[in-house]
Amino acid sequence: MGQLRHLICLCLTLASGPSLGDELRTFATCTGRLSALMEHQWLMQDPAADLTKRQRDAFADLVQAVALDPARAMSMRIEAKAATAAALQAADFGGHPAARTRVMAQVRSCLRLLPQA
């Protein structure tokens, strides 16, 4: 049933979105952000990591569905993951709490693209 939800979300997003390249960038960026958040949650022993993993996996499925160039998709994903990981480290270890606020706003923006369970 989960794959059907993702397919419906993908169809709705593509029907309303400007181009497949924009959708790929959005899905890959969200996958990277959620990957970094999940790994940071593991580091901090946050039980929310399991939910974040499921959300990340949903975006990874969407990336796979629209990626005509998997290497390009992975590059976008890694770029977003590195930036998010750096922001989370700055927030929790560098005394920059505003960085966490920014990351969580970006994550919420991504999660609005997924259908509610």
Side-chain angles (χ1 to χ4, degrees):
M1 186 66 171
Q3 288 181 332
L4 179 59
R5 281 190 2 231
H6 300 309
L7 182 58
I8 292 168
C9 176
L10 174 63
C11 290
L12 291 173
T13 303
L14 290 176
S16 63
S19 78
L20 196 57
D22 291 339
E23 299 305 334
L24 174 60
R25 177 163 296 288
T26 298
F27 297 153
T29 298
C30 288
T31 305
R33 287 176 179 160
L34 287 162
S35 292
L37 177 60
M38 176 188 69
E39 290 178 7
H40 193 77
Q41 288 169 330
W42 285 342
L43 176 69
M44 305 303 282
Q45 299 181 344
D46 184 339
D50 291 336
L51 173 60
T52 304
K53 181 183 184 311
R54 289 191 299 275
Q55 294 163 335
R56 188 271 325 255
D57 291 346
F59 275 105
D61 289 344
L62 291 171
V63 169
Q64 188 175 17
V66 299
L68 300 176
D69 182 357
R72 180 172 170 243
M74 184 58 73
S75 175
M76 288 185 254
R77 186 175 165 173
I78 290 169
E79 195 175 293
K81 181 179 176 181
T84 302
L88 289 168
Q89 290 171 11
D92 286 348
F93 305 119
H96 300 284
R100 173 172 287 284
T101 302
R102 186 176 65 249
V103 166
M104 296 315 294
Q106 292 169 337
V107 167
R108 282 190 301 277
S109 179
C110 287
L111 295 178
R112 282 193 283 271
L113 299 173
L114 292 178
Q116 299 301 314

